[in-house]
Amino acid sequence: MLRAPALLLLLTLASIVTAAESIAGRATAIDGDTIEIHGQRIRLNGIDAPESRQVCQRADGSPYRCGQVAALAVADWIGRATVTCEPHGHDRWRRATRI
């Protein structure tokens, strides 16, 4: 699960504009490691989180929707703020990865 300090660092880095190819706008959380800005899906570099439909187990064995929890954590954190990302490469699915 995402930790608040890691997400804070990630979003702080995402707000730094240093490249001409940066993208900025209101972001939508797709899951715990992917956002969308202006219809472009952006993989958050260095973050690996459960997929939005993924189910995990608590220590007591009971299931919970960890993917939904991760996506909601990202959505709550970015809120309505403008997010700016700079290019950092592509992932194995050819989505732009950005910081």
Side-chain angles (χ1 to χ4, degrees):
M1 183 180 284
L2 292 175
R3 301 266 187 232
L7 187 55
L8 173 62
L9 175 62
L10 173 70
L11 292 174
T12 300
L13 290 173
S15 68
I16 299 170
V17 181
T18 59
E21 298 175 32
S22 64
I23 184 170
R26 188 171 293 167
T28 302
I30 302 302
D31 56 30
D33 56 13
T34 307
I35 61 173
E36 185 173 291
I37 300 175
H38 302 302
Q40 182 176 352
R41 289 205 175 187
I42 300 164
R43 173 92 159 86
L44 302 174
N45 187 53
I47 301 295
D48 188 17
E51 298 303 316
S52 59
R53 294 182 186 162
Q54 187 170 336
V55 176
C56 298
Q57 288 186 332
R58 292 185 174 91
D60 67 2
S62 63
Y64 75 102
R65 297 185 63 190
C66 56
Q68 182 182 38
V69 170
L72 289 173
V74 171
D76 286 346
W77 210 95
I78 60 178
R80 299 174 66 99
T82 297
V83 175
T84 302
C85 301
E86 66 178 66
H88 189 72
H90 291 85
D91 67 8
R92 63 183 170 189
W93 297 279
R94 298 184 186 173
R95 292 178 296 189
T97 59
R98 296 175 185 258
I99 57 173

